[in-house]
């Protein structure tokens, strides 16, 4: 089991390593033939412009590599072309700091989004980021258009809406001093299957003695006005109508309200559309029931405030409505009966910046519904962007109220915003490639439901700066067969080779291949490259650090000797399969150090004067000495005893075992050798922390004292000396010498 786990782990490690190599290799894998192609591969790629940069056998595309790799290969930083992206803010008007009582401003003088215009220069793979600030302004103007279903089932609701104008004006005055209101109505398309079974019913589609107006698709009853009483008067003159099926033609009406800005009277302020109904809705495709097959064109078709093309164009699709509502900065409030709440909640999820409110049976709560929905919509800001050019991506990161942050789709919005609150977004735009034409593109970012936006011009870096200095038909490029730019030839059509020296129809000729075979062998370019124009262009390795080179691609920088699983021991570099060692290192794998500091003994001599330092390690010349610095002498204790006193465990074999041991006697400690002082082979022998010298002066002193005592106390001293000598011999024989102890000489 353990073996299986080990094998699996190893395999996964190899796979991960290989994947990492491939991912980090995009510059080489791109096989870029020019500087412009190189910088479009990714932000990590650079191009070496140095004319003499390429080694023999290396293709022009090897000029394109990661920046660190180019430096290692000897390309000076001044010769590396690596253009970077940039940004410039063109319009940066500060957001408006304004309170309700500070005087009225024109809508165009109020700023809620900052900045307003900027230019980004994009390098492929390199994101450009900027901050967008949003602040909800105090006392911001509001336009509200009330669009009502006037089918027969909404009869009692119409009675309550007739006084809506003045009441709503009063309530909205608490929010803004600049409020306008308008009114429109809808029923259904004016085609037979929807409104009547017979033409006679067109004049009065209601049953019994009910007086109803003729059916219509959409009518703009009142253009936006600040006169609430006018709203009440005109709405009071409206009558209900009727149709056969339950779903209504409200989508036709919403489309016309969105796109007929001049007829409705929309200003560049907060735009609210209240859609009131007690039924479902028809959408794209339902028009076929009445023989209508043309899709809705999304254009304004109002004549005398009536929608005139309902019989000609189908209902709009939900996606089409979403686009037009967003384009015209309209926020929708669906005021519907409880029965249809689930349907319109699903619709709300498809329409950004929309809300759903439940109408009472007779719409008596419509004012509270509108106020609540407005507060809900205005407390949330959602950013959207226009269509992006091909290959361009955008990322959002929000920093909202109370330190709340969001990323991804959640990074587009902030909630629970009150009037005067600042929120900000970090927006990152990245180009994965250059557009086909390479021309600047313009995109826009705006908060949904607001008329303000940020205009961004995108410029794409598709060529290097050195491209401008290119020399067309340069003599360097084989008699003018290419343009010399950025240190290399960009060949004309039909020409190839490093200097454009060959025509494409000559590439595979046998004569050219001969010059790519080393020593007239059979292998073309040593099987490590391709023969192009009679010259070997070496293959590229997955690992960007590994390269083939040489006239026949016979060399590489990764097949040298290794030590400790490192190429050239980590102390050199590989050139044509031979290690070139760093200073103070030698050997085929650069694993032999020339530094002798590791061989110094405690006396500061190399190998204690008894060996040679090889690759940082002492090789002791005398087999009796051991240790890292030839200081350990296992036989020293016995040899000292037998040579100095003729005693000890080696006294019988002293001449044989200790013949190499030269004992030099000194009279006092001052005569002992000092550190760094040259001295014959055996002069002292350390035993642990102590040094046991054999000092001749001590022995002589003992003899003189003995003679003096013999002259004075001859008899007494003879007896005393014999006793002492006998005692000394006994202690000496009983002494236990530790033969394992390391004696240092």
């Amino acid at each position: 089991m353990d073996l299986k786990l080990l094998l699996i782990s190893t395999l996964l490690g190899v796979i991960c390593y290989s994947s990492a190599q491939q991912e980090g290799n995009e510059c080489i894998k791109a096989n870029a033939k020019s500087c412009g192609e190189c910088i479009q591969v990714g932000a990590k790629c650079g191009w070496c412009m140095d004319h003499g940069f390429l080694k023999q056998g290396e293709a022009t595309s090897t000029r394109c590599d990661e920046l660190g790799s180019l430096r290692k290969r000897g390309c000076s930083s001044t010769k590396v072309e690596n253009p970077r992206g940039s940004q410039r803010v063109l319009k940066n008007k500060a957001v408006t700091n304004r309170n309700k009582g500070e005087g009225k401003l024109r809508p165009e003088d109020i700023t809620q989004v900052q900045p307003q215009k900027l230019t980004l220069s994009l390098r492929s793979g390199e994101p450009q980021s900027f901050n967008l600030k949003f602040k909800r302004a105090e006392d911001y103007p509001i336009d509200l258009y009330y669009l009502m279903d006037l089918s027969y089932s909404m009869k009692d609701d119409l009675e309550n809406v007739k006084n809506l104008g003045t009441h709503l004006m009063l309530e909205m005055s608490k929010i803004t001093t600049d409020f306008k209101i308008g009114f429109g109505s809808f029923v259904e398309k004016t085609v037979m299957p929807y409104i009547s079974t017979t033409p006679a019913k067109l004049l009065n589609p209601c049953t019994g003695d009910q007086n109803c107006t003729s059916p219509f698709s959409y009518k703009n009853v009142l253009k936006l006005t600040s006169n609430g009483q006018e709203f009440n008067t005109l709405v009071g003159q409206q009558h209900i109508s009727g149709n056969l099926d339950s779903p209504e033609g409200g989508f036709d009406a919403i489309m016309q309200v969105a796109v007929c800005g001049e007829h409705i009277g929309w200003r560049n302020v907060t735009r609210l559309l209240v859609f009131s109904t007690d039924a479902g809705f028809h959408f794209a495709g339902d028009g076929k029931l009445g023989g209508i097959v043309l899709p809705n064109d999304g254009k304004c078709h109002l004549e005398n405030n009536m929608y005139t093309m309902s019989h000609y164009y189908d209902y709009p699709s939900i996606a089409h409505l979403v686009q037009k509502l967003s384009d015209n900065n309209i926020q929708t409030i669906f005021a519907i009966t409880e029965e249809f709440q689930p349907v319109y909640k699903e619709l709300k999820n498809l329409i950004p910046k929309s809300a759903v409110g439940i109408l009472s049976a007779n719409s008596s709560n419509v004012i509270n519904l509108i106020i609540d929905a407005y507060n809900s919509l205005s407390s949330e800001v959602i950013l959207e962007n226009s269509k992006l050019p091909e290959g361009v991506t955008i990322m959002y990161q929000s920093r909202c109220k109370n330190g709340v942050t969001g990323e991804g789709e959640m990074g587009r919005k902030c909630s629970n915003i009150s009037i005067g609150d600042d929120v900000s977004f970090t927006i990152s735009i990245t180009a994965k490639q250059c557009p086909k034409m390479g021309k600047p593109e313009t995109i826009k970012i705006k908060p949904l439901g607001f008329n303000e936006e940020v205009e961004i011009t995108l410029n794409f870096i598709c060529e290097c700066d050195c491209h401008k200095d290119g020399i067309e038909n340069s003599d360097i490029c084989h008699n003018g067969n290419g343009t010399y730019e950025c240190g290399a030839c960009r060949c004309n059509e039909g020409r190839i080779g490093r200097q454009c020296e060959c025509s494409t129809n000559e590439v595979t000729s046998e004569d050219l291949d001969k010059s790519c075979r080393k020593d007239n062998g059979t292998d073309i370019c040593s099987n490590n490259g391709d023969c192009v124009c009679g010259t070997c262009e070496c293959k590229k390795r997955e690992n960007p650090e590994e390269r083939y080179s040489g006239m026949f691609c016979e060399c590489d920088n990764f097949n040298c000797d290794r030590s400790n699983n490192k190429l050239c021991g980590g102390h050199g570099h590989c050139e044509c399969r031979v290690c070139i060692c760093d200073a103070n290192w030698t050997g085929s794998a650069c694993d032999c150090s020339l530094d002798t500091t590791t061989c110094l003994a405690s006396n500061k001599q190399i190998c204690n004067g008894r060996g040679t330092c090889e690759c940082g390690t002492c090789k002791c010349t005398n087999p009796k000495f051991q240790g890292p610095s030839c200081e350990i002498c296992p036989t020293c204790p016995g040899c000292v005893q037998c040579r100095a006193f003729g005693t000890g465990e080696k006294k019988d074999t002293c001449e044989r075992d200790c013949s190499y041991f030269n004992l030099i006697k000194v009279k006092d400690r001052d005569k002992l050798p000092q550190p760094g002082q040259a001295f014959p082979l055996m002069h002292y022998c350390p035993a642990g922390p102590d040094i046991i010298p054999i000092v001749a002066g001590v022995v002589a002193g003992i003899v003189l004292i003995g003679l003096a005592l013999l002259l004075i106390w001859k008899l007494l001293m003879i007896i005393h000396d014999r006793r002492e000598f006998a005692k000394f011999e006994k202690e000496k024989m009983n002494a236990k010498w530790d033969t394992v102890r390391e004696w240092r000489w």
Side-chain angles (χ1 to χ4, degrees), residues 62 72 149 231 364 374 402 542 695 731:
T62 56
K72 288 181 181 179
D149 176 8
F231 180 94
S364 59
Y374 168 75
N402 299 324
E542 288 292 339
V695 184
E731 289 178 352

Side-chain angles (χ1 to χ4, degrees), residues 518-554:
K518 184 179 181 181
D519 300 328
N520 293 322
T522 58
D523 294 337
I524 294 179
C525 300
S526 307
N527 290 328
N528 295 324
D530 300 314
C531 188
V532 180
C533 291
T535 303
C536 285
E537 288 194 359
C538 303
K539 295 178 182 177
K540 300 174 185 177
R541 301 273 295 177
E542 288 292 339
N543 186 343
E545 302 295 329
E546 298 178 354
R547 299 181 182 279
Y548 292 110
S549 61
M551 179 180 293
F552 304 100
C553 303
E554 73 279 12

Side-chain angles (χ1 to χ4, degrees), residues 21-34:
Q21 292 290 348
Q22 292 176 2
E23 289 175 3
N25 233 345
E26 58 180 359
C27 307
I28 290 180
K29 291 169 66 176
N31 201 32
K33 296 296 191 298
S34 67

